Amino acid sequence: MKRYKTMLASTVIAGLLLSAFPLLPGHAPAYAASQAEIEKEMKEMEERFQQAFKKLDSKIIEQATQALQKFDPGQEVKLVSITGESGVGADKGEWTLTSGQGHHVKVDKQTGEIKGLSANRTYKFEESDKALQAEIQEKWGLLELKGEFTPPNFISYTKDDRGLETFSFSGGETEDDDYYGNIDPKTKKVSSMGKLTTSDQVDQKIVTAAEEAMKKLPGASKLRKQAHVSLYDYNQFNKTIDFQDQAGSRVGIGNSSGKLRSVTYDKLLNKFYAPKDVQKAFAKPYYTKEKAINAAKPMAKKHFDLDLTGYEVKVKHWEYTFTKKGRPTVTAYINEKGQFWEMRVMQ
């Protein structure tokens, strides 16, 4: 469990130092501070935040409390502290307030204007629904991990006012059996699950297939040793081994077939999108159905040797799904320039 304690401590530190509002994944800058320096900085920051909260206008606290209560009516909200500050230097214009019970709200320091809301719950495995417990255990078995089932260390549900909703879990007593997964918030079914491993623990035929597939990606470099064993629910669970190169591009190889299932041009995805941002940026389809096929054809042919001629197209914001009776289904995503940055093939 030591690794999880370290992970949680690192999360707290990153949240304080980066004022990370718990909405989107990101990359924290690396620095070589000692444990003593980190603890000292955390203590000083917590003291400053405590004093700032005491001095905060009561009207701002009340306004933020009411907004959170309306956002999450099922839980009583009482704001108790400040956990983050936006920007650096002269740009420190927002506080992140918290209830200490999973509620966070970003407010303008001066006006109290609400800039963002989020709420999250963290449960113990035994506190979750029995059907969900059985579902997680069943899908864990499909990963073919060594040893007996280890319950998740936590199950966490998070939502924010930008439309991002996640329901996830993570488990494992040691680094050798760590696993993680996502749950569909509506159906309470596991939608994906994965485990970090290394390429020397994977069938070498799959590693070779990944190396060959990676050569076709633009600017591709040598594969990293790490690999992900993943399960994706495309109507039925399929096991895929995902590899990444030094430049960040990725390929996924089907465990049973040994064939390429997905490619990702990491450099073409130059923005992280929240669901509402996706809806806004791609409210109007970038491509007509005919143009979408023509734009996706080169990528499908190059990597999967598929001809998309005669395929039907379904568009949802940045997601393009190509279907044809008797042929593999292709799902691909575009960036704001209309470039396809990821493509997946489902048999």
Side-chain angles (χ1 to χ4, degrees), residues 267-294:
K267 290 183 178 180
L268 293 186
L269 180 60
N270 50 24
K271 290 184 179 180
F272 285 112
Y273 292 96
K276 283 189 177 179
D277 295 333
V278 171
Q279 293 173 18
K280 182 178 180 180
F282 301 92
K284 182 180 179 181
Y286 191 95
Y287 289 118
T288 62
K289 293 182 178 181
E290 183 179 340
K291 289 184 177 180
I293 290 176
N294 290 332

Side-chain angles (χ1 to χ4, degrees), residues 3-222:
R3 181 170 179 265
Y4 283 96
K5 292 178 181 178
T6 302
M7 179 187 73
L8 291 173
S10 299
T11 301
V12 172
I13 293 169
L16 291 172
L17 295 179
L18 300 175
S19 307
F21 196 60
L23 302 178
L24 288 173
H27 301 284
Y31 60 95
S34 68
Q35 184 64 30
E37 289 173 329
I38 292 174
E39 291 177 356
K40 180 182 178 182
E41 188 167 357
M42 283 185 64
K43 184 177 180 180
E44 292 175 349
M45 199 172 295
E46 287 172 359
E47 290 176 352
R48 183 168 70 83
F49 284 170
Q50 287 173 6
Q51 292 302 314
F53 186 77
K54 291 177 182 179
K55 295 178 182 178
L56 200 61
D57 189 330
S58 60
K59 291 182 180 179
I60 292 180
I61 295 177
E62 179 61 25
Q63 184 175 328
T65 300
Q66 291 179 2
L68 279 169
Q69 191 66 75
K70 185 176 181 181
F71 179 68
D72 189 17
Q75 298 288 323
E76 182 179 357
V77 177
K78 181 180 179 180
L79 292 169
V80 297
S81 64
I82 293 172
T83 59
E85 187 175 17
S86 71
V88 294
D91 294 327
K92 292 181 179 179
E94 297 171 359
W95 288 124
T96 297
L97 311 182
T98 180
S99 66
Q101 301 296 322
H103 299 98
H104 294 81
V105 56
K106 266 190 176 182
V107 300
D108 184 281
K109 288 184 184 181
Q110 303 302 320
T111 67
E113 181 184 355
I114 306 299
K115 299 293 187 177
L117 299 163
S118 74
N120 78 294
R121 310 268 178 272
T122 300
Y123 311 91
K124 293 180 180 179
F125 180 68
E126 58 270 20
E127 295 173 341
S128 64
D129 182 81
K130 295 295 184 183
L132 179 58
Q133 292 182 32
E135 170 77 3
I136 292 174
Q137 185 167 352
E138 177 189 349
K139 296 305 185 292
W140 182 90
L142 296 179
L143 282 176
E144 300 178 324
L145 301 175
K146 296 179 180 179
E148 297 181 359
F149 171 71
T150 304
N153 298 93
F154 62 87
I155 298 175
S156 181
Y157 171 76
T158 300
K159 67 173 182 176
D160 70 41
D161 62 339
R162 298 189 299 172
L164 185 66
E165 188 176 22
T166 62
F167 199 1
S168 60
F169 59 90
S170 180
E173 291 290 340
T174 70
E175 292 189 11
D176 293 331
D177 66 357
D178 281 354
Y179 62 95
Y180 50 88
N182 294 299
I183 303 163
D184 186 304
K186 295 180 180 179
T187 66
K188 300 300 188 294
K189 297 287 187 179
V190 175
S191 57
S192 66
M193 186 180 283
K195 175 184 181 292
L196 185 64
T197 186
T198 55
S199 56
D200 54 6
Q201 299 297 312
V202 176
D203 186 330
Q204 292 307 294
K205 291 182 179 179
I206 292 178
V207 177
T208 299
E211 290 173 336
E212 291 302 312
M214 188 66 76
K215 291 177 182 179
K216 294 185 178 181
L217 270 66
S221 58
K222 187 178 179 181

